[in-house]
Amino acid sequence: MRFNGGGHVSALLLEKLARRRLGYDYPRWGDAEPYPPESPRGPLVAVTNEWAGSDGDIFSHTFKLLGLGPLVGRRTWGGVIGIWPRHQLADGTVTTQPEFSFAFDDVGWQVENYGTDPDIEVDITPQDYARGVDTQLETAIDTALALLAEHPPHTPDPPAPARNATLVTSPASNDHRWGKRTGDEGRVSRRARPSRW
């Protein structure tokens, strides 16, 4: 969200990021597809800075408000009042005035002129910038990896059979197992699938 100057997409992005993966749809010939669609597979971490304003402020604050994950970086700009640049003077100059204000349930109007604080404050010093070191991004990656270690990515459970798997039956017993077709090893049934497919 760093350097985000605003717009009108935060609601769409947050709606998708807030989806909680609950399961998978198993097509007959294909890979497992997450349900709900486009739901995140693992932990989320957002990065913001003092150049994120307007919709960047709104996204950053809402990311925290929804508890989607830690927000890393610097306090946002604090300019959520919107304008509508439509009044033109005789010399072509466009004038604007504040037209759209914004209030949150938790802090009211206080994001305006203040911004929203990150959960993990990280600055990029001039020395880091000169060396090409992005301490905010590095901290966000370290945080995401630590969260992944605590909360592994959501995976299909039960795992889907391999794409070319068939039901292999041993001729000496009723031992059934999923495996790859290996020629004469046991009797291989037709491409069997669980009955719910």
Side-chain angles (χ1 to χ4, degrees):
M1 197 46 51
R2 297 183 297 179
F3 305 101
N4 184 297
H8 302 280
V9 298
S10 64
L12 174 65
L13 296 175
L14 289 159
E15 182 270 323
K16 292 186 180 295
L17 292 175
R19 294 178 181 181
R20 184 170 148 236
R21 188 169 296 195
L22 303 171
Y24 291 84
D25 180 27
Y26 294 86
R28 181 180 291 274
W29 307 114
D31 297 323
E33 299 168 0
Y35 179 84
E38 300 174 359
S39 52
R41 186 175 176 211
L44 302 175
V45 178
V47 188
T48 195
N49 65 6
E50 63 271 32
W51 296 97
S54 193
D55 211 34
D57 283 307
I58 292 169
F59 177 94
S60 298
H61 193 78
T62 307
F63 189 87
K64 286 179 58 177
L65 194 59
L66 292 173
L68 297 180
L71 185 66
V72 176
R74 295 279 291 169
R75 189 179 78 193
T76 61
W77 176 51
V80 293
I81 290 182
I83 59 174
W84 186 2
R86 67 190 189 279
H87 300 298
Q88 198 170 46
L89 303 179
D91 65 355
T93 302
V94 175
T95 64
T96 64
Q97 59 280 326
E99 297 201 39
F100 308 99
S101 57
F102 202 94
F104 284 97
D105 286 345
D106 62 336
V107 296
W109 308 100
Q110 295 178 31
V111 173
E112 182 66 34
N113 288 325
Y114 181 81
T116 193
D117 291 307
D119 298 303
I120 304 171
E121 185 161 351
V122 181
D123 197 4
I124 299 177
T125 66
Q127 295 84 356
D128 290 333
Y129 183 82
R131 290 185 297 125
V133 176
D134 191 335
T135 51
Q136 292 174 342
L137 186 58
E138 288 180 357
T139 301
I141 291 170
D142 290 342
T143 303
L145 291 174
L147 289 171
L148 276 170
E150 295 175 23
H151 310 284
H154 196 287
T155 55
D157 186 16
R163 187 179 292 253
N164 62 345
T166 56
L167 186 61
V168 178
T169 306
S170 169
S173 70
N174 287 331
D175 179 28
H176 295 72
R177 66 190 185 282
W178 284 104
K180 292 185 179 178
R181 189 179 293 241
T182 58
D184 295 332
E185 177 188 342
R187 181 173 54 81
V188 179
S189 72
R190 61 186 171 81
R191 296 186 70 83
R193 298 281 189 234
S195 59
R196 64 186 173 92
W197 290 1

